[in-house]
Structures are given as structure tokens and as C-alpha cells.
């Protein structure tokens, strides 16, 4: 069962990379250059050129894989998918052995066809989300066997790739810890000590990054010089914006909040759609009436990032992953009460309904193309460059000369 799950997950996560390279068409390569340049520019930061820089682990892996702008990022995504597929397939295997093959296949189906998981992640060739998700899932696998301290350390290490490892990892870990506590399998002192491990480890990393990272000027120069030369405005603006957000620190967070406010009703619409997408998994997956745990694991981190960051679709995707992890773990721990057949059928019908809305992208939880012909026009996201001109008029200059 584990090998089948692993193969399917890797296929779903890598299929667009394979299609682009197998076709050997220049337009596919150019599309990879243009549409994903922002996240690829972020991956330019690494420990070899920028010392102990924030979010430097992913870029360091890419650096080891080679300096080719496209091939390095594609190999990074393949490694990320494998890193994520290993713990996910382990969970599916446990479900098959502990509950039943039928239940395991249900969870595998939801995982690989969800518009908010691999259908969406596979479209983003250069993001770190699947590697971050791998750290979160590995942490949950450890937590399923009561290894709270090791699970906490894994999340802290994941923050070297992106801080979403903690933002999403800690809520799901807390939800599982509370469930174990309610069953009498985890004492309060262990939870307190694990909190100290996470707090002290995160603080140590932040201090070391502040002391040992290269200067903002050096990081900006490296990020701006790492990409292939292009005169296309989309390419140039995306590269500069990625650099600006990386080197400006707290100011970048303030500007991100401003972008959300400036987008106004459009941002509210898509944020609402993201929350609806996450809430839909209450119907799709079994949660054994642990609704408070669902709110903690899936809704709290999503709502937080919808306020302080801009990539609506990404936050919905990671929240859906947390919902899946919570549901599958509760099912493992409630082995005497497996989901009924009608519950599984309802979940399959629900995920088919989600698929009808189209796969998610980094900036939206659904594409909603089909709805454009049956309801009022769906609002398009406002280009970030226009919003940045309102929130931080000198952002291009600040990125090129921080």
C-alpha cells in the first residue's frame, strides 16, 4: 500500500514538470521563466552566497543541484515531492494496516485529487511549499507515535525553509497534543517542555540569522543578478518585488497588509472563497466531532496569514493539508470507530464537487472558470505591482539599493 501511495503522490506532484521537459518546447521553458520568477528569485538566497540567511535552506539545496535557473528549481521540486511523499505514504500504510484498505484508499484519493493539494502544488514549479509541507507531515508522523519533542524539533528545522513550517506546523501539533491529552496519553509537563523547545530553538535561529546573515545589500545584489536577463516587465517587476520582500523585513509585512487593504473587495471575495474551501473539508473528511481541533489546526493559521500575507491560495492549500492530517490521525486513534461507508461516499461526492470548481493556484483556492458563465463575473486579482505602487511608491528603488 505504501509503495502505491508513494508512486501516485510523486506522479501527481511532478506531472507538470515531466510534461514540460518531455515536450521540449521553448514556450514551456519561457512560461517557467516568466510566471514563476518571483518564487524562483526567492530560491536564489542560500547559505553559500548569503551566509546564514533567512529562508536559506531551500535555496542552498537548489545551489547544490546546480546554477541552471530552470533545471535546478525543477530538481528541487522533485526532491520536495519525494520528501513529502514518504511520510504521507507512511500514514496511508498505517491506515491500511490499522483500519482497513478501503479507508486508506479513501484518504489517498482525497489527498491526490484535492484541488487544494497536489493539483495546485504541481503548478508551482519553484515554490518551497511542498518541502515545508514535508516537514509538517514528518512532524505529524512522529506525533502519531507520541514523539512530541522530535516532532517539535522537525518544525523548527522546517523554518529554515520558510516560517510557514511553524505557522502551520504548530497548530496541527497543538491539536494532536490536545487530543492525546484528552485521552490521558500526554501529560501537561511534556507539552510545556515541548513549547520551550520550540520557543528556544526558534529564538536561537532568529538570533543567529540576525548575526550571521549577509547584509541586505549583498542579498539584494545576489537575488537580482541570479536570474537570466530579461527585458519583459513582468519578469523584471516580479524579480524586484521578490527581492524587496526578502530584504525589507518588518516593512515588507506592513506592505503586505497594505496590499490586502488596497485590493479591497476583490481580496475579501477570494479570502472568503479560501475559508469556504477549507470549511468544505468538514463534509469531505471525518473529524469525529473534534470541531475545535479543526478550527485550531486549519482555520487559525489560514486566517492569520490572510491578514498579514498575500498568497490566498497557498494558505488554503496548507490548511487543507492540516485538515487531512488531523482527520487521518483521528481516524488512526479511533480505530474502534472507523468511518461508515456512507461517510466515505459523502466525502467522495464532496471532493468531486470541489474538483468542478477547478484547481487552486497560489493566489486563489479555485480557478472558478466554469462559474464565469453561470453567475456574476468572478473578480480577478489586482496585479501586485499596481498595489505596491500605492503602498510603497519607492519599492523598486528600495529593492535595488536597500
Amino acid at each position: 500500500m505504501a509503495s502505491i501511495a508513494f508512486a501516485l503522490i510523486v506522479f501527481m506532484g511532478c506531472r507538470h514538470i515531466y510534461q514540460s521537459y518531455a515536450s521540449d518546447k521553448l514556450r514551456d521553458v519561457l512560461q517557467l521563466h516568466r510566471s514563476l520568477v518571483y518564487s524562483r528569485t526567492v530560491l536564489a538566497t542560500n547559505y553559500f552566497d548569503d551566509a546564514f540567511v533567512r529562508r536559506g535552506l531551500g535555496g542552498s539545496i537548489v545551489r547544490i543541484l546546480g546554477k541552471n535557473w530552470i533545471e535546478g528549481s525543477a530538481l528541487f521540486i522533485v526532491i520536495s515531492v519525494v520528501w513529502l511523499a514518504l511520510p504521507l505514504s507512511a500514514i496511508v500504510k498505517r491506515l491500511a494496516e490499522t483500519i482497513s484498505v478501503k479507508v486508506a484508499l479513501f484518504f489517498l484519493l482525497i489527498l491526490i485529487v484535492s484541488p487544494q493539494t497536489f493539483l495546485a502544488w504541481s503548478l508551482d514549479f519553484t515554490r518551497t511549499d511542498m518541502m515545508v509541507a514535508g516537514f509538517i507531515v514528518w512532524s505529524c508522523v512522529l506525533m502519531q507515535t507520541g514523539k512530541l519533542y522530535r516532532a517539535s524539533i522537525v518544525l523548527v528545522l522546517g523554518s529554515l525553509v520558510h516560517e510557514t513550517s511553524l505557522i502551520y506546523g504548530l497548530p496541527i501539533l497543538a491539536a494532536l497534543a490536545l487530543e492525546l491529552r484528552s485521552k490521558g496519553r500526554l501529560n501537561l509537563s511534556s507539552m510545556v517542555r515541548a513549547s520551550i523547545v520550540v520557543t528556544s530553538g526558534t529564538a536561537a535561529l532568529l538570533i543567529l540569522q540576525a548575526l550571521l546573515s549577509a547584509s541586505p545589500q549583498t542579498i539584494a545584489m545576489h537575488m537580482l543578478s541570479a536570474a537570466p536577463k530579461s527585458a519583459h516587465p513582468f519578469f523584471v517587476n516580479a524579480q524586484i518585488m521578490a527581492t524587496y520582500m526578502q530584504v525589507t523585513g518588518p516593512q515588507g509585512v506592513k506592505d503586505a497588509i497594505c496590499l490586502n487593504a488596497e485590493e479591497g473587495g476583490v481580496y475579501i471575495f477570494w479570502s472568503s472563497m479560501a475559508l469556504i474551501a477549507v470549511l468544505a473539508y468538514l463534509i469531505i473528511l471525518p473529524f469525529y466531532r473534534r470541531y475545535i481541533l479543526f478550527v485550531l489546526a486549519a482555520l487559525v493559521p489560514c486566517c492569520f496569514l490572510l491578514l498579514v500575507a498575500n498568497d490566498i491560495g497557498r494558505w488554503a492549500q496548507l490548511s487543507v493539508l492540516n485538515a487531512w492530517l488531523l482527520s487521518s490521525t483521528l481516524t488512526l486513534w479511533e480505530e474502534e470507530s472507523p468511518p461508515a461507508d456512507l461517510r466515505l461516499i459523502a466525502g467522495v461526492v464532496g471532493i468531486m464537487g470541489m474538483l468542478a470548481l477547478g484547481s487552486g493556484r497560489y493566489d486563489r483556492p479555485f480557478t472558478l472558470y466554469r462559474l464565469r458563465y453561470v453567475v456574476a463575473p468572478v473578480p480577478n486579482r489586482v496585479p501586485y505591482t499596481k498595489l505596491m505602487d500605492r503602498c510603497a511608491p519607492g519599492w523598486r528603488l528600495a529593492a535595488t539599493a536597500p
Side-chain angles (χ1 to χ4, degrees):
M1 191 69 196
S3 58
I4 295 174
F6 179 83
L8 288 173
I9 292 169
V10 171
F11 171 77
M12 292 299 293
C14 298
R15 71 190 194 284
H16 286 294
I17 292 177
Y18 171 77
Q19 290 170 1
S20 293
Y21 280 87
S23 64
D24 195 27
K25 294 180 180 179
L26 179 61
R27 61 184 177 83
D28 293 326
V29 177
L30 291 175
Q31 178 67 14
L32 181 57
H33 269 281
R34 288 175 52 190
S35 66
L36 303 174
V37 63
Y38 181 101
S39 51
R40 181 59 180 88
T41 301
V42 174
L43 276 175
T45 58
N46 63 83
Y47 298 144
F48 300 100
D49 300 312
D50 306 309
F52 197 48
V53 64
R54 180 174 68 97
R55 302 178 181 175
L57 181 56
S60 299
I61 296 173
V62 175
R63 179 75 162 73
I64 293 172
L65 295 172
K67 292 187 176 182
N68 184 286
W69 180 261
I70 295 176
E71 292 180 1
S73 58
L75 288 173
F76 172 77
I77 292 301
V78 172
I79 291 173
S80 298
V81 173
V82 171
W83 168 248
L84 174 57
L86 286 170
L88 285 173
S89 57
I91 293 175
V92 173
K93 179 183 178 182
R94 287 180 183 176
L95 286 166
E97 294 175 346
T98 305
I99 311 301
S100 69
V101 173
K102 176 176 59 180
V103 170
L105 289 174
F106 166 78
F107 276 97
L108 178 60
L109 174 68
I110 301 302
L111 179 68
I112 63 176
V113 305
S114 166
Q116 287 76 45
T117 55
F118 290 98
L119 288 182
W121 285 329
S122 63
L123 295 171
D124 284 335
F125 288 73
T126 56
R127 292 195 187 274
T128 57
D129 289 353
M130 282 193 283
M131 178 157 283
V132 169
F135 281 96
I136 295 172
V137 180
W138 275 113
S139 177
C140 287
V141 168
L142 291 169
M143 191 62 185
Q144 287 173 356
T145 55
K147 298 180 176 67
L148 178 57
Y149 301 131
R150 296 180 186 180
S152 302
I153 293 172
V154 167
L155 292 181
V156 174
L157 293 176
S159 69
L160 294 173
V161 180
H162 198 284
E163 54 272 15
T164 46
S165 173
L166 294 173
I167 295 173
Y168 278 90
L170 290 179
I172 182 62
L173 210 62
L176 298 181
L178 289 173
E179 178 66 13
L180 285 178
R181 172 75 174 157
S182 69
K183 294 177 178 294
R185 295 166 55 186
L186 185 66
N187 56 53
L188 183 60
S189 60
S190 295
M191 296 172 67
V192 172
R193 286 195 294 269
S195 300
I196 294 173
V197 168
V198 171
T199 303
S200 58
T202 303
L205 289 180
L206 291 174
I207 293 171
L208 289 173
Q209 288 168 351
L211 294 175
L212 303 179
S213 176
S215 67
Q217 292 84 356
T218 300
I219 296 171
M221 185 182 303
H222 173 226
M223 293 178 71
L224 291 171
S225 62
K229 302 301 179 184
S230 173
H232 195 285
F234 182 95
F235 192 105
V236 175
N237 285 328
Q239 188 184 13
I240 294 175
M241 187 173 178
T243 304
Y244 176 87
M245 289 298 186
Q246 175 71 21
V247 301
T248 52
Q251 182 58 47
V253 176
K254 294 179 182 178
D255 291 335
I257 296 172
C258 177
L259 293 182
N260 296 341
E262 285 292 330
E263 198 172 12
V266 175
Y267 188 81
I268 293 174
F269 172 84
W270 284 111
S271 295
S272 300
M273 292 303 301
L275 293 175
I276 291 172
V278 176
L279 287 169
Y281 284 83
L282 283 171
I283 300 173
I284 295 170
L285 295 169
F287 289 97
Y288 298 90
R289 300 182 183 274
R290 308 302 203 279
Y291 302 126
I292 294 178
L293 298 184
F294 175 87
V295 170
L296 173 60
L299 289 182
V300 168
C302 187
C303 289
F304 171 71
L305 283 177
L306 286 175
L307 290 175
V308 304
N310 310 121
D311 293 339
I312 294 173
R314 293 173 64 198
W315 317 144
Q317 291 158 22
L318 289 171
S319 288
V320 168
L321 174 67
N322 272 13
W324 188 92
L325 290 171
L326 177 62
S327 178
S328 59
T329 303
L330 290 175
T331 302
L332 283 170
W333 290 347
E334 297 286 342
E335 56 183 289
E336 296 181 358
S337 304
D341 289 348
L342 286 178
R343 184 68 186 81
L344 300 181
I345 293 172
V348 172
V349 172
I351 202 66
M352 293 301 109
M354 297 282 278
L355 281 169
L357 299 177
S359 62
R361 292 303 307 271
Y362 73 94
D363 61 343
R364 63 194 69 198
F366 305 110
T367 49
L368 294 183
Y369 289 136
R370 294 174 179 83
L371 292 187
R372 294 177 186 273
Y373 304 103
V374 295
V375 298
V378 176
N380 286 317
R381 300 295 304 276
V382 180
Y384 285 152
T385 51
K386 292 183 178 181
L387 299 174
M388 283 294 290
D389 289 337
R390 304 175 198 169
C391 293
W395 64 279
R396 291 179 179 84
L397 180 60
T400 53

